[in-house]
Amino acid sequence: MSTQFVQAVWGGILFGSVYGLMALGLTLVWGAVRLLNLAHGAIFVVGSYVAFFVVSKLNLPILVALPIGVLAAAAFAYLMHLIFIRPVIGKPGFDNSTLIATVGISIAVSAAAILIFNPEYKVIPPIISGNFTLSDVQITKQGLLVIGTSLALFALVYLFLTYTRRGMAIRAVSQQQEAASLMAIPVVRTYGMVIAISGALAGLAGVLLSPFFFLNPNSGFNPMIQALIVTIFGGLGSVRGALVAGFVLGIFESFVEVYYGVAWAQPGVFLLIILMLIVRPNGLFGIGEVRRL
Amino acid sequence: MLEVKGLVAGYAGSEVLHGIDLEVNEGEGVIVLGPNGHGKSTLLRAVTGLLSPRAGQVLLDGKDITRWRPDAIAAAGLVHIPQGDLLFPEMTVTENLLMGAYHGPTWSERSARLGRVYELFPWLKERGGQLARTLSGGERRMLALGRGLMSKAKLLLIDEPSLGLAPLTTQQIYASIHKVKESGLSLLIADENANHVAGLADRVYLLETGSLVRQGPADELLRDKALLESYLG
Ligand SMILES: Nc1ncnc2c1ncn2[C@@H]1O[C@H](COP(=O)(O)OP(=O)(O)O)[C@@H](O)[C@H]1O
Ligand SMILES: [Mg+2]
């Protein structure tokens, strides 16, 4: 196998699992709450900075910082729900006000990160360091960890939604909210739970990815845009779609990058998406206007 | 058990219910009869919290539940089987049934409850893995009833059990509601056809343009053909 090919496959699988991990949280929130959470990248940043703080200021190991960062991101997302989402649930201006609120939160988080830390790039250590080579391509162990974590989380979320009482309740709320409330399912609390889970996923992505991309006050932006693209490609609200689309786009992007150069990667991805949306306007797994969990 | 006092409810700009007084006693089958558009669904929705009443009170076993959220009212034992079924379309038949038992204490008894619902509707067991959105109208109605029966209801509120069904399916549905009644569950049924509910009803209320205009024992009211004809047409 040529080095280029191995490089493209490895990069594609790595990108794909990163995109999928970010898209999973977005698609869950869209599917259940019908909220386009543009603060998803900000939550990613909150998780990474908290982990950075724990590692560099408290001098604790990254394995301790990881769960703290994840919990902080979940708590931040839940707080966002309490303050900005919950008060407008069921009100006519829900879409507009939450869109503005989540953009506002993103701006506030990056400003806060500049004030508290500074705009310089930060480094978070990997959970596992080291690498080995395969056909002259460097395979980092952290990369393998990211891929494994992403796949495991997709499996976990799938099992949770399919087989547990609360997971099934999330699907019920997402498919027929009124009936869910008549079955004694607390709809608003379920929203809060989904938003917190999504926040935890974003925070985890933040801590795991920062060793690759470094950390700065806006480092959540690109992953979120990629995740939005993946979510739209896979079908808003579809968990399976987020997984498949994450890998399709990641591998596609990686091949374009390796064979045609970095400059073609983004335009190539957009071209693919535009073509796909012409053929399937609701995304790969979107059925009809609404695809529910 | 259920007491509704002076209930006023409606939608933006229009008042639909103008002060409803109604009660359902333990083990009773109570029917609200009224033509299409006179406020039967609005009444059930206001009682179970889907619609916030403008005035009046809803009491369950003497406790004021008027402004409770629908999930809390359901948890307290008022279980509403809504008009139009409102199934979970992308869930299987079994999953839909299980959601009926969501409430904590009931969830632990879900297997036993599934067994009882399957006895009433054996069909639901055969089709357990089928998605709800692929079912026919009659099948949907049975699933909606079965899902409601999975709960630990004190009182089942059923909105137009036969709406949109063929005559044969209609008969089957009322036959199963009969069995539910015989098991001792209290029922509040909204309907527009007096013939359907004859055997189910202990007491009847007649609803006309948002007000209850008559009430009485079923064997008295339902026999008064002239009266029914003037109300229901
Ligand atoms: N969501 C709604 N918004 C506004 N008006 C409604 C709504 N639902 C019902 N109505 C009106 O309320 C009145 C009573 O309707 P409804 O309670 O559905 O009657 P029924 O169940 O007896 O057929 C009707 O005039 C209907 O047009
Ligand atoms: Mg009705």
Side-chain angles (χ1 to χ4, degrees):
Chain A
M1 273 187 292
S2 80
T3 299
Q4 264 192 328
F5 184 76
V6 175
Q7 176 69 52
V9 169
W10 164 248
I13 294 173
L14 186 56
F15 289 172
S17 35
V18 170
Y19 297 165
L21 188 55
M22 281 298 279
L24 178 58
L26 268 187
T27 214
L28 275 178
V29 167
W30 175 266
V33 190
R34 292 257 123 180
L35 166 71
L36 189 59
N37 181 14
L38 293 180
H40 203 58
I43 297 165
F44 170 104
V45 166
V46 168
S48 359
Y49 271 98
V50 168
F52 168 76
F53 179 81
V54 172
V55 168
S56 65
K57 300 289 181 331
L58 305 181
N59 290 314
L60 290 167
I62 180 71
L63 264 177
V64 176
L66 175 78
I68 296 178
V70 170
L71 282 178
F76 183 84
Y78 189 70
L79 207 64
M80 169 186 93
H81 161 71
L82 289 185
I83 299 172
F84 295 103
I85 313 297
R86 197 173 66 165
V88 291
I89 288 171
K91 304 259 162 70
F94 180 82
D95 290 343
N96 292 337
S97 73
T98 55
L99 207 65
I100 292 165
T102 54
V103 170
I105 289 166
S106 307
I107 296 169
V109 163
S110 78
I114 293 173
L115 290 173
I116 300 171
F117 299 91
N118 54 47
E120 273 152 38
Y121 282 59
K122 309 275 188 264
V123 183
I124 291 185
I127 308 271
I128 3 175
S129 46
N131 51 48
F132 53 90
T133 53
L134 186 70
S135 299
D136 290 330
V137 176
Q138 276 207 359
I139 310 283
T140 57
K141 290 187 180 161
Q142 175 88 352
L144 287 175
L145 178 73
V146 168
I147 295 168
T149 307
S150 175
L151 291 176
L153 283 171
F154 266 99
L156 216 62
V157 165
Y158 173 79
L159 293 174
F160 172 67
L161 290 175
T162 311
Y163 296 111
T164 70
R165 171 169 170 259
R166 286 185 197 284
M168 287 169 77
I170 291 175
R171 285 193 293 147
V173 166
S174 115
Q175 291 174 24
Q176 179 35 264
Q177 197 214 87
E178 201 163 80
S181 70
L182 293 180
M183 309 286 107
I185 297 172
V187 171
V188 174
R189 222 185 308 153
T190 303
Y191 284 174
M193 182 171 68
V194 173
I195 291 173
I197 291 173
S198 163
L201 292 169
L204 181 69
V207 183
L208 289 182
L209 297 185
S210 294
F212 297 105
F213 303 126
F214 302 108
L215 171 59
N216 73 70
N218 295 312
S219 57
F221 187 74
N222 278 335
M224 183 179 74
I225 295 297
Q226 301 287 9
L228 269 176
I229 294 170
V230 166
T231 310
I232 291 164
F233 192 90
L236 281 162
S238 164
V239 169
R240 192 161 48 125
L243 178 69
V244 174
F247 280 108
V248 167
L249 289 181
I251 289 171
F252 179 81
E253 181 181 344
S254 178
F255 269 84
V256 174
E257 192 173 312
V258 168
Y259 286 96
Y260 298 94
V262 168
W264 286 104
Q266 281 297 325
V269 164
F270 276 106
L271 199 67
L272 179 68
I273 285 164
I274 290 163
L275 288 177
M276 195 275 313
L277 287 179
I278 290 170
V279 183
R280 289 188 67 90
N282 297 307
L284 282 181
F285 293 94
I287 48 167
E289 185 219 350
V290 280
R291 164 71 219 195
R292 290 312 179 86
L293 294 174
Chain B
M1 179 170 49
L2 175 73
E3 258 182 290
V4 176
K5 293 180 182 170
L7 190 74
V8 177
Y11 307 92
S14 70
E15 186 179 295
V16 175
L17 302 175
H18 319 289
I20 299 284
D21 294 298
L22 167 153
E23 61 179 344
V24 182
N25 299 307
E26 192 88 47
E28 217 181 6
V30 172
I31 315 297
V32 175
L33 271 181
N36 195 9
H38 281 233
K40 301 183 297 296
S41 298
T42 306
L43 173 59
L44 297 197
R45 293 171 67 83
V47 167
T48 55
L50 290 176
L51 190 66
S52 190
R54 293 182 190 171
Q57 272 186 315
V58 180
L59 305 175
L60 177 62
D61 295 327
K63 195 189 289 175
D64 190 338
I65 58 167
T66 314
R67 303 216 176 268
W68 287 20
R69 287 193 323 267
D71 57 283
I73 292 178
L78 285 193
V79 174
H80 180 173
I81 298 172
Q83 182 171 315
D85 303 328
L86 309 188
L87 300 174
F88 305 116
E90 301 291 323
M91 285 186 157
T92 64
V93 167
T94 309
E95 288 175 328
N96 266 276
L97 289 174
L98 287 175
M99 290 334 285
Y102 174 84
H103 183 53
T106 320
W107 184 254
S108 52
E109 302 163 13
R110 61 193 182 282
S111 305
R113 285 176 179 274
L114 266 183
R116 279 190 3 200
V117 169
Y118 289 153
E119 251 170 60
L120 199 56
F121 302 111
W123 167 88
L124 290 175
K125 191 172 185 177
E126 294 160 29
R127 301 287 192 85
Q130 200 171 330
L131 288 183
R133 70 173 153 84
T134 65
L135 302 178
S136 73
E139 295 168 340
R140 280 169 202 234
R141 191 63 39 84
M142 287 183 211
L143 180 52
L145 271 174
R147 187 178 64 173
L149 290 169
M150 287 292 290
S151 68
K152 207 187 262 173
K154 287 180 182 159
L155 167 65
L156 215 51
L157 301 91
I158 314 178
D159 199 346
E160 296 213 46
S162 64
L163 187 73
L165 298 186
L168 191 64
T169 327
T170 300
Q171 274 180 21
Q172 291 173 345
I173 290 286
Y174 283 102
S176 18
I177 298 179
H178 241 284
K179 288 190 198 153
V180 172
K181 170 98 194 326
E182 277 162 13
S183 75
L185 196 58
S186 321
L187 298 174
L188 176 60
I189 300 177
D191 214 305
E192 52 177 8
N193 187 329
N195 299 325
H196 290 155
V197 293
L200 281 171
D202 296 312
R203 270 181 325 112
V204 176
Y205 291 88
L206 295 183
L207 180 69
E208 192 179 52
T209 55
S211 302
L212 293 173
V213 289
R214 280 288 294 270
Q215 66 146 316
D219 36 13
E220 216 173 86
L221 265 179
L222 294 180
R223 223 177 303 138
D224 195 338
K225 297 290 177 216
L227 174 84
L228 289 177
E229 206 139 298
S230 73
Y231 279 114
L232 302 171

